[in-house]
């Protein structure tokens, strides 16, 4: 596991936890908390997607519901905030546009870290302008059950031209987290089948799902 050696840098370090959050669950929260600690981030901004390009629309809760569930789940953590940037965007959401906007807002005075699970880091390859993305921010890929972190080496090679890079020039870090085989897909399936979802996500989010009748008839 390689680490950012420039940890003593006085720059503010901001983590961006992007996701559909359909719904948000403990896998997301543990990942963000571990990134805060392991990379000494000052804050993590949760960024629910508006209209994600890669997801089917059928069982996608509205952007507003996903935003509110993310607020409920993160409210008690003073280092977590939630952004409406993507939710309010009218067109299809691309993470690259968000990164460009964040750079514009914060200028060069901050280090941006895009936090993903080991599965989602590979989506970078399907992003618009991956070569621009790696200039705008660094990436943290968290272990996720069923995904091989070794593949990140080939991703590094693809985006940076080599497998082994000097840690201070690195832009893709891997991060070990306590493995949680929780997914939003599984939670939606459980709701549809009338099975319990307690202990997979915060109670407030679970209550919101039931109150609003989300995912009952999804397929
Ligand atoms: P879905 O099943 O609908 O794809 P998901 O559980 O994968 O949902 P997303 O909103 O797609 O959740 O994920 C947002 C980010 O969180 C992604 O980078 C994903 O890799 C990461 N992530 C999701 N669940 C976990 C988990 N259990 N452990 C580590 N990372 C996770
Ligand atoms: Mg996913």
């Amino acid at each position: 596991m390689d680490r950012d050696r420039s940890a003593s840098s006085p720059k503010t370090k901001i983590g961006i936890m992007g996701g559909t959050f359909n719904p948000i669950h403990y896998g997301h929260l543990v990942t963000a908390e571990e990134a805060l600690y392991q990379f000494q981030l000052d804050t993590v901004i949760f960024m629910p997607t508006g209209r994600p390009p890669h997801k089917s629309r059928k069982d996608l809760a509205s952007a507003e519901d996903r935003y509110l569930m993310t607020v409920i789940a993160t409210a008690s953590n003073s280092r977590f905030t939630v952004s409406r940037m993507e939710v309010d965007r009218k067109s299809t959401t691309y993470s690259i546009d968000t990164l460009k906007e964040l750079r514009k807002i914060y200028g060069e005075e901050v280090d941006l870290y895009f936090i993903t699970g080991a599965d989602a880091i590979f989506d970078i390859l399907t992003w618009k302008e991956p070569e621009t993305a790696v200039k705008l921010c660094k990436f943290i890929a968290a272990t996720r059950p069923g995904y091989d972190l070794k593949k990140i080496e080939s991703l590094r090679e693809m985006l940076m031209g080599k497998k082994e890079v000097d840690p201070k020039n690195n832009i893709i870090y891997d991060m070990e987290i306590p493995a949680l085989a929780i997914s939003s897909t599984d939670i939606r399936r459980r709701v549809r089948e009338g099975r319990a979802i307690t202990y997979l996500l915060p109670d407030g989010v679970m209550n919101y799902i039931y109150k609003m009748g989300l995912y009952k008839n999804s397929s």
Side-chain angles (χ1 to χ4, degrees):
M1 185 169 46
D2 41 19
R3 280 286 155 269
D4 187 357
R5 298 277 160 79
S6 61
S8 58
S9 139
K11 279 189 178 179
T12 301
K13 293 175 161 192
I14 298 178
I16 319 292
M17 180 82 202
T20 317
F21 304 134
N22 184 39
I24 189 165
H25 55 68
Y26 284 131
H28 302 129
L29 296 164
V30 164
T31 302
E33 182 63 30
E34 278 296 313
L36 261 181
Y37 172 74
Q38 294 193 31
F39 290 82
Q40 296 160 353
L41 306 181
D42 295 283
T43 185
V44 173
I45 304 174
F46 285 73
M47 184 75 68
T49 51
R51 276 193 227 172
H54 308 298
K55 301 249 168 169
S56 99
R57 306 292 302 277
K58 263 198 219 147
D59 57 357
L60 185 63
S62 73
E64 204 58 39
D65 280 333
R66 292 181 291 105
Y67 168 77
L68 285 174
M69 289 190 280
T70 309
V71 169
I72 291 167
T74 55
S76 60
N77 190 321
S78 60
R79 288 187 186 267
F80 288 171
T81 57
V82 188
S83 168
R84 294 191 60 93
M85 189 181 285
E86 293 196 354
V87 166
D88 288 342
R89 200 174 290 146
K90 298 278 176 290
S91 50
T92 304
T93 307
Y94 288 99
S95 304
I96 187 69
D97 301 323
T98 301
L99 288 174
K100 284 181 186 166
E101 209 169 324
L102 287 169
R103 251 309 156 223
K104 236 192 250 163
I105 293 169
Y106 292 110
E108 294 307 312
E109 295 316 302
V110 299
D111 279 334
L112 295 176
Y113 290 80
F114 197 88
I115 306 162
T116 77
D119 59 323
I121 188 93
F122 298 102
D123 295 344
I124 296 172
L125 293 173
T126 64
W127 275 13
K128 287 197 301 180
E129 309 172 45
E131 51 311 310
T132 313
V134 297
K135 288 188 188 124
L136 290 167
C137 74
K138 299 175 182 188
F139 291 86
I140 300 173
T143 48
R144 190 169 185 188
Y147 295 90
D148 186 0
L149 274 185
K150 287 210 183 77
K151 285 197 206 149
I152 289 177
E153 267 183 21
S154 46
L155 195 63
R156 228 178 251 136
E157 190 172 21
M158 211 159 167
L159 294 171
M160 301 187 69
K162 46 190 164 183
K163 269 188 189 165
E164 298 293 331
V165 288
D166 184 344
K168 67 176 183 302
N169 297 328
N170 193 12
I171 42 119
I172 305 176
Y173 301 96
D174 41 66
M175 171 174 73
E176 297 267 350
I177 62 165
L180 288 173
I182 303 175
S183 72
S184 304
T185 302
D186 179 54
I187 291 170
R188 294 192 302 272
R189 189 183 309 123
R190 283 167 179 267
V191 173
R192 200 165 62 234
E193 294 172 0
R195 293 168 62 198
I197 54 171
T198 338
Y199 313 129
L200 301 175
L201 74 185
D203 284 353
V205 178
M206 178 179 73
N207 293 337
Y208 185 90
I209 290 170
Y210 293 147
K211 175 178 158 185
M212 304 306 281
L214 303 181
Y215 312 126
K216 270 197 314 208
N217 305 312
S218 58
S219 56

